[in-house]
Amino acid sequence: MAPILEIADLKTLARKRVPKLFFDYADSGSYTESTYRANESDFARIKLRQRVLVDMSGRTLETTMVGEKVKMPVALAPTGLTGMQHADGEMLAAKAAEEFGVPFTLSTMSICSIEDVASVTTRPFWFQLYVMRDRDFVMNLIERAKAARCSALVLTADLQLLGQRHKDIRNSLAAPPKLTPKHLYQMAIRPRWCWNMLQTNRRTFRNIHGHAKNVTDLSSLHSWTAEQFDPKLSWKDVEWIKKQWGGKLIIKGILDVEDAKMAAKTGADAIVVSNHGGRQLDGAHSSIAMLPKIVEAVGHKIEVHMDGGIRSGQDVLKAIALGAKGTYIGRPFLYGLGAMGKEGVTKALEIIAKEMDVTMALCGKRQLADVDKSIIAECPF
Ligand SMILES: Cc1cc2nc3c(=O)[nH]c(=O)nc-3n(C[C@H](O)[C@H](O)[C@H](O)COP(=O)(O)O)c2cc1C
């Protein structure tokens, strides 16, 4: 096997090991994918300042995110269907995050349930909530997240309806309902994936199955979600959620200064500057391009996190320099998971940590608290 040196290597391996319809599901963005591409390419437009002959000893990447100690400011983002990249994917990723010392966020749309993840972890994880029309179901999720001792609720605000991913439709992932011969072929040529999948009974949406009516498979989930995502969702509902939850609240999917100001008013603990990894509004700015403006507007009132396009430790450091208190990775850990299971998620975290540490040192800094705009040589945003 070729050496795994960077996140791109995990992506190459995941492409070889995960059936095409699920690899494409993770790897694609909405419509023309212009925002998905911008998330990555805008990081490359930021140039760092090389500093020399400063004491680079005794470095640490440790910091906090919403008051929780983290080994580095990189949480695993909530991603739906993670258990389809690898059998028991959410449980494996949560364990890898716990061992590494960073937060894991479980999606409402996960394959493994809140209870599954709680059963294999001791560190409290974060739970991501989609506010469905069925508010009883929302309450059910909140109560289960409390019972599992989740330490933060991540409320996703940028998915009141679904942006279209062409690849999912071409792969017949979204609809129609049945497993086609093409799907079966795609799975049959990935024997390792099939073997692992046969070892688990977790192959459905276990946060929803048995808790929401008539959701039994991928397709019924799709039609259920299409009608359950609430187009009327508003800031008033955020207040309601905050009250029901009563714990730390992170609002995810903020890309505009005005929305950031609204979010800060709700008394949430943090916002995530995010465009859902380029999966929703195609044509929107990249997250990193919007980060400095949002930090300037609300950074003194609320913790600002960001995600979208992070593929290296250098990217994380650039986000921190531009004012993010923390970041999240989605695809990098999914590639790791698809490539090598839990070991691959650990590998993704190790790669990013190592890159971040060396980059911080070469910028002349020894700890994250000292990383600020002074390490940026050029930034177009
Ligand atoms: C396959 C996939 C599924 C996702 N599912 C969810 C989800 O269920 N809830 C959510 O809030 N965000 C979801 N996201 C968005 C991620 O939380 C995150 O914002 C995004 O992946 C960050 O971009 P990156 O993948 O470039 O790191 C998903 C992203 C991907 C790639």
Side-chain angles (χ1 to χ4, degrees), residues 44-292:
R45 299 171 67 199
I46 303 169
K47 303 297 169 204
L48 295 169
R49 259 177 90 198
Q50 172 178 305
R51 302 300 309 276
V52 297
L53 300 178
V54 291
D55 183 355
M56 293 174 183
S57 62
R59 297 183 305 282
T60 172
L61 299 176
E62 282 184 16
T63 181
T64 59
M65 286 172 78
V66 290
E68 289 182 23
K69 273 196 183 157
V70 293
K71 270 274 150 50
M72 64 174 173
V74 182
L76 301 194
T79 52
L81 285 179
T82 302
M84 286 294 153
Q85 300 301 316
H86 190 288
D88 295 339
E90 292 90 355
M91 292 158 77
L92 300 183
K95 280 207 275 192
E98 170 167 307
E99 282 165 24
F100 197 91
V102 294
F104 171 77
T105 319
L106 183 72
S107 165
T108 294
M109 295 298 161
S110 56
I111 299 295
C112 302
S113 66
I114 299 175
E115 293 77 13
D116 290 330
V117 173
S119 73
V120 295
T121 51
T122 51
R123 179 190 168 120
F125 58 98
W126 297 352
F127 181 66
Q128 175 267 324
L129 181 72
Y130 279 131
V131 183
M132 303 301 188
R133 283 186 205 221
D134 180 348
R135 295 297 200 266
D136 288 341
F137 175 65
V138 172
M139 277 312 297
N140 168 285
L141 287 172
I142 290 178
E143 291 308 327
R144 288 163 62 203
K146 280 185 195 173
R149 295 185 304 109
C150 291
S151 55
L153 189 74
V154 178
L155 175 63
T156 297
D158 61 1
L159 206 128
Q160 281 167 263
L161 45 80
L162 293 168
Q164 177 167 306
R165 291 185 299 275
H166 300 328
K167 280 180 198 154
D168 287 350
I169 296 177
R170 288 184 183 123
N171 286 328
S172 311
L173 181 69
K178 45 190 183 310
L179 218 52
T180 65
K182 195 164 93 180
H183 292 155
L184 293 174
Y185 172 73
Q186 288 178 5
M187 291 178 196
I189 59 171
R190 299 285 181 267
R192 182 195 302 248
W193 181 93
C194 290
W195 173 253
N196 289 329
M197 228 17 119
L198 288 170
Q199 309 305 306
T200 183
N201 61 358
R202 298 183 187 89
R203 292 191 288 264
T204 183
F205 302 90
R206 288 166 64 93
N207 281 333
I208 298 169
H209 200 214
H211 300 279
K213 278 181 210 149
N214 303 328
V215 178
T216 50
D217 59 14
L218 261 187
S219 166
S220 53
L221 176 90
H222 185 78
S223 44
W224 184 83
T225 48
E227 75 184 32
Q228 274 295 328
F229 284 107
D230 190 350
K232 289 189 182 154
L233 196 67
S234 75
W235 289 104
K236 272 212 164 81
D237 298 293
V238 177
E239 273 172 38
W240 179 76
I241 297 289
K242 188 173 187 305
K243 210 165 136 206
Q244 304 307 316
W245 170 245
K248 282 177 197 162
L249 181 70
I250 301 172
I251 303 179
K252 174 174 182 283
I254 301 291
L255 203 67
D256 186 89
V257 168
E258 292 311 311
D259 289 338
K261 287 181 183 165
M262 297 289 280
K265 273 193 208 151
T266 63
D269 297 270
I271 54 172
V272 188
V273 177
S274 173
N275 48 37
H276 218 100
R279 293 163 81 84
Q280 285 293 97
L281 177 63
D282 186 37
H285 272 303
S286 68
S287 304
I288 193 66
M290 291 310 296
L291 177 70

